[in-house]
Amino acid sequence: MNLRFVLDPVLTAELREQIVALWLDVTNAGGAVGFVAPVTAAEVRPVAEAGFAGITDGPDRLLAAYEGDRLVGILAICDNRFHLTTHWRTLKRVMVHPDTQGRGYGAALMREAERIGRELGLAALHVTVRDGLGLGEFYGRLGYREVGRLPAALRLAPGDDRDEVFMWLDLADGAAA
């Protein structure tokens, strides 16, 4: 696997555009990253910019995955912005480019986030997923367990409501690993 990770890359204008393009490609291929296909850059960019602000001005971290020089995956390691939850983080916008899927890049990206979480001394990582796409199984194979769900919380279209599923990885269990 020719995958290289960069934690906290400088969010240049070029990288921002690459992230928006990745987000478009992932969403328009059926990925569950906050939108429903078809989506345009004009729809994604404001949401992306808000996330970038949490990275450049706030406590959030960006993990980027590269195949050579090409950005092929990202995730945000987000602070919960509440003093009673400083011991864990939420992973958001977990995505790998559709043409790289099936190579283990998503699992590698998540394992790198887990490694970073352990290095930071975190007790756990949390991710939410859209039900109905097999994402719970993907995260389950990585050690995450379902800890709750909001029934029909996500309305993709009239008559197409999906559960929002909460997944949790306890880092304390394997901290010695």
Side-chain angles (χ1 to χ4, degrees):
M1 180 181 313
N2 183 26
L3 200 58
R4 173 178 57 91
F5 297 105
V6 179
L7 180 62
D8 300 324
V10 177
L11 272 171
T12 62
E14 178 183 9
L15 180 56
R16 289 169 187 251
E17 287 306 310
Q18 291 172 348
I19 291 170
V20 169
L22 174 65
W23 204 332
L24 286 170
D25 290 344
V26 168
T27 300
N28 288 328
V33 283
F35 295 94
V36 177
V39 70
T40 66
E43 294 168 294
V44 170
R45 190 168 281 107
V47 177
E49 288 297 334
F52 297 154
I55 293 164
T56 59
D57 303 333
D60 299 338
R61 317 281 301 268
L62 178 66
L63 178 60
Y66 292 89
E67 183 181 64
D69 292 330
R70 178 183 176 217
L71 179 71
V72 295
I74 64 160
L75 63 74
I77 303 169
C78 296
D79 184 271
N80 296 297
R81 292 165 174 76
F82 181 58
H83 70 281
L84 297 179
T85 61
T86 59
H87 60 291
W88 60 275
R89 297 290 184 277
T90 300
L91 303 181
K92 294 184 178 180
R93 311 304 181 214
V94 178
M95 60 182 102
V96 297
H97 197 278
D99 70 11
T100 66
Q101 290 182 359
R103 299 183 197 173
Y105 287 6
L109 182 65
M110 292 301 295
R111 283 190 200 100
E112 181 66 7
E114 178 182 348
R115 186 194 67 74
I116 291 165
R118 291 181 191 286
E119 188 175 277
L120 294 172
L122 298 175
L125 295 173
H126 166 256
V127 65
T128 61
V129 301
R130 182 186 303 168
D131 197 25
L133 298 174
L135 297 171
E137 292 82 8
F138 168 77
Y139 289 106
R141 287 190 301 274
L142 295 169
Y144 285 76
R145 61 186 168 92
E146 181 178 328
V147 294
R149 64 176 53 223
L150 296 174
L154 305 171
R155 177 155 293 156
L156 306 186
D160 187 3
D161 293 348
R162 307 281 178 90
D163 292 357
E164 183 172 28
V165 181
F166 297 85
M167 306 289 293
W168 185 264
L169 179 66
D170 190 345
L171 298 177
D173 284 347

